[in-house]
Every structure is written in C-alpha cells, then in structure tokens.
Amino acid sequence: MNPVHVQQIECLLTLADELHFGRTAERLGCSQSRVSQLVAALERRMGVRLVDRTSRRVALTRFGGQFVDEVRPAYETLTSVIAGAHERARRGALRRLRVGFHGSVYEEVTEAFRRLRAEHGVGIALSEIPLGSPFSAVLAGELDAAMVELPASEPELTVGFRFPPQDRLLAVASWHPLARAEAVHVEALAGLDVLHPRGDAPDYWRAARVPRTTPAGAPIRSTMGISTVQEGLALVAAGEHVQLVCRPLADRAARGDVRCLPVEGWGEGHSSQLGLVWRADRAVPALRALAALLDEEFAGAPRSPAPPGVPAAPRASG
C-alpha cells in the first residue's frame, strides 16, 4: 500500500485554495506538471477522483471537497508542531506545557514540575484561571492542561491524575458567631450566604462546589460570585458571606480575620478533589509524564499542619 506523502496533501490543499494549476505551482515553487503528478498520485492512493479539471476550470469533486475539509485541520496542526519545534531548536528553548491552576500551587506540585524539566526536558508555563471557568481554556486549546476541582464530565476531557481527596471546610469571618465553634453542621448552611464561583462552568460542576440544598432539602442561598479564591476570602473577612474551601487552602491561606471550620453531616461524596485535566485528543507524552511524576510525589507526601481545631490531612493544590 503506497503511503500518502505530506507533499501530496499540501499540494491538494493549495489547489483547493487556488483552483488553478498555474497559481498552485507558483505558490509551491514547482512546475504545473509536478502539481498534476502529486494530485494524480494522491488520487491513486485514495482510489477516487479528487479534482475535476478541464481546459476551462478546476474544481474539487464532492469527495475531494469532503476530504479537504477533513484533512486540513490535521495538516495545519502538523505544520504548527513542526514550526514550533524548529523555533525551539533555533533558540535552544525547552518544550513547555501551559498549565492552569486555581488558588495556589504547593510543594509537591512544584517538585513534579522541577523533575519534569530535569528528567524530560519539558518546562512549565503557569497561569491562574478564573475559579468558575475550570475547563474553558483547555477546551479552547489555550492551555495544555489545568489543575482544577473535579468532577470533569466533559466528553472531550481526560482526567490524567487525581489528587488526594480533601475535606471541605467552611471559611467564616473571625468575628462571625460560628467562628467560636469547633465545627459547623451542614444544615447551618441554609442560614448563610455562600459564595459561588463566577464563570461559564457547567451546572454539574457548579452544584458540586455549592450545593443548591442541604441534605435535608433546605435551600442554600448564594448571592455573590467570585473569580479567585483570594477574592472570596476577602469577602468572607468582610463578614457578609461564607465560603466552602478545601483543606489545603485552609492550611496555607491562614489569616487573622478568617477561620476555617470542619463541616459535619455531609455524608458520602462531598469531599474536594483536584484533577489534572487535559483534552483527550491532545494527550501528549509530556502530559502523561507530568501525571506520573505527580503520582510519585503525592504517594509520599507528608501530612501538613492544620489550622486550629482541624485535623491534618495530605496536601494538594486548591
């Protein structure tokens, strides 16, 4: 079976743009006869006519038009990858993964980043993403992956690594009446105004962050949206709102005007868990290597100090 050569695909795509053998030859820097040879070779490989040509006009056949529409995105991706690799080689630069995150990135994660560079020659470009838009930048191809709270049920996404599950705590102002308690029952949320992530996240993800009702069915009020964790903590400190946070955030974002309390009565399935998420059709080896390194780092992660009244747990970013 004769292979399809990239030059044949390039020729057909150029001809589809120009619909003229002469102009196609000029763009490719070859003769018209070479254009005809490349198209004919591709047609023999495909076993179907792709181009109708007469002395007056050139047109794609119906199959040819469909094939061009299907193959063009793959060709453009290939040329982009080759151009990027060439530019990195010219500049002596590292391949970089673009990774988004919410809140903070902690020691185990940064150690995995260091090892990815040292062991695989892949650097990391980090960017904080809006709290309520966990998947948008990954789906749009603006990021290679994101460390975000689960669940991630989008069919286009893969969860390459799941961080250790964490308890969910309630952040309240230090002078709030609840701040004097050792813990708060989940039904108490019905009397509070709980901050919610603001963005374009799917409904199932929003409901996992801030449930619409307590387990007993009482509605949970949520009148204010936030874009970052720090924005939320500032609003909590002001006293009008409370915020559900993961334990690692409480461990590291300690401040005198906010107290984080364990929430009792959730039942099963209400822990917080982060995941390293990427597009299923872009699972490059560097992402799999990063997931494996995170698995190694968190397998031996020490237990972190907890805020007063909160037992310690394994660390993760959040």
Side-chain angles (χ1 to χ4, degrees), residues 136-289:
S136 298
V138 174
L139 290 172
E142 299 166 2
L143 293 175
D144 298 304
M147 296 180 293
V148 294
E149 281 202 83
L150 302 177
S153 301
E154 308 305 288
E156 304 94 334
L157 296 178
T158 291
V159 181
F161 174 71
R162 296 176 184 269
F163 291 76
Q166 303 290 340
D167 293 334
R168 301 183 75 193
L169 310 179
L170 185 69
V172 301
S174 59
W175 49 268
H176 193 282
L178 287 175
R180 296 190 295 271
E182 291 301 316
V184 60
H185 196 275
V186 65
E187 294 299 326
L189 296 180
L192 304 171
D193 194 346
V194 184
L195 294 169
H196 64 266
R198 179 175 59 243
D200 57 5
D203 288 343
Y204 72 84
W205 190 90
R206 293 172 179 272
R209 304 284 71 73
V210 180
R212 294 182 176 87
T213 65
T214 67
I220 296 176
R221 190 162 61 104
S222 181
T223 64
M224 176 72 72
I226 55 173
S227 296
T228 67
V229 170
Q230 295 304 322
E231 178 187 345
L233 291 176
L235 289 170
V236 167
E240 293 184 29
H241 307 275
V242 299
Q243 183 178 359
L244 290 166
V245 299
C246 64
R247 184 189 295 268
L249 175 66
D251 291 353
R252 289 168 170 77
R255 44 190 294 169
D257 51 3
V258 173
R259 184 149 190 263
C260 294
L261 304 169
V263 181
E264 299 175 341
W266 275 121
E268 296 294 328
H270 278 279
S271 61
S272 172
Q273 186 174 30
L274 293 179
L276 179 67
V277 176
W278 61 68
R279 270 178 50 170
D281 62 349
R282 298 190 180 184
V284 296
L287 285 173
R288 298 189 185 279

Side-chain angles (χ1 to χ4, degrees), residues 81-101:
V81 169
I82 292 173
H86 175 74
E87 178 62 19
R88 288 194 302 274
R90 186 184 67 81
R91 295 186 290 109
L94 284 172
R95 161 76 193 277
R96 291 192 179 276
L97 287 179
R98 302 163 298 168
V99 179
F101 69 96

Side-chain angles (χ1 to χ4, degrees), residues 11-53:
C11 182
L12 177 66
L13 294 178
T14 306
L15 184 60
D17 291 338
E18 298 293 344
L19 295 178
H20 190 280
F21 277 77
R23 290 194 297 269
T24 298
E26 289 178 8
R27 279 182 55 179
L28 297 178
C30 64
S31 66
Q32 292 189 45
S33 62
R34 180 58 177 161
V35 172
S36 297
Q37 292 170 2
L38 290 170
V39 172
L42 182 57
E43 288 178 329
R44 287 194 299 272
R45 172 65 182 84
M46 300 298 295
V48 66
R49 181 174 291 279
L50 301 173
V51 179
D52 284 329
R53 40 219 189 275

